[in-house]
Amino acid sequence: MSIQLQPIGDKIEFFEAPSLHHLEEKINKQVEHNEAILLYVHHVQHHVHYDPATSRPIYTAVVHFKGKQN
């Protein structure tokens, strides 16, 4: 039995929060976790939309993490 390890090249994560402050906290926490496995932020895209049921804003973000290229 052999174990082969391969580095992760790309990872995309989605985030949602009721406020911009909470969204930033979630993203920063995950950035720290991903840096531990040598993935760094490549691109961030964020949006805000309103929940039709409550008329409150919902903040979302998509973060693309990439491994360092040699």
Side-chain angles (χ1 to χ4, degrees):
M1 181 167 140
S2 67
I3 297 176
Q4 296 179 350
L5 300 177
Q6 295 179 349
I8 299 172
D10 288 288
K11 183 178 181 186
I12 297 174
E13 295 193 35
F14 302 88
F15 300 91
E16 180 179 284
S19 73
L20 198 54
H21 177 73
H22 286 104
L23 183 65
E24 184 180 11
E25 285 179 348
K26 286 182 175 184
I27 292 171
N28 285 337
K29 184 177 179 181
Q30 199 59 36
V31 166
E32 289 178 15
H33 288 260
N34 285 330
E35 284 179 347
I37 58 172
L38 302 176
L39 292 175
Y40 301 92
V41 175
H42 177 68
H43 182 78
V44 177
Q45 185 175 1
H46 56 88
H47 297 279
V48 62
H49 63 91
Y50 289 89
D51 183 354
T54 64
S55 298
R56 300 190 86 157
I58 297 174
Y59 297 88
T60 61
V62 178
V63 182
H64 181 187
F65 294 93
K66 275 192 149 196
K68 278 200 170 178
Q69 303 291 329
N70 290 341

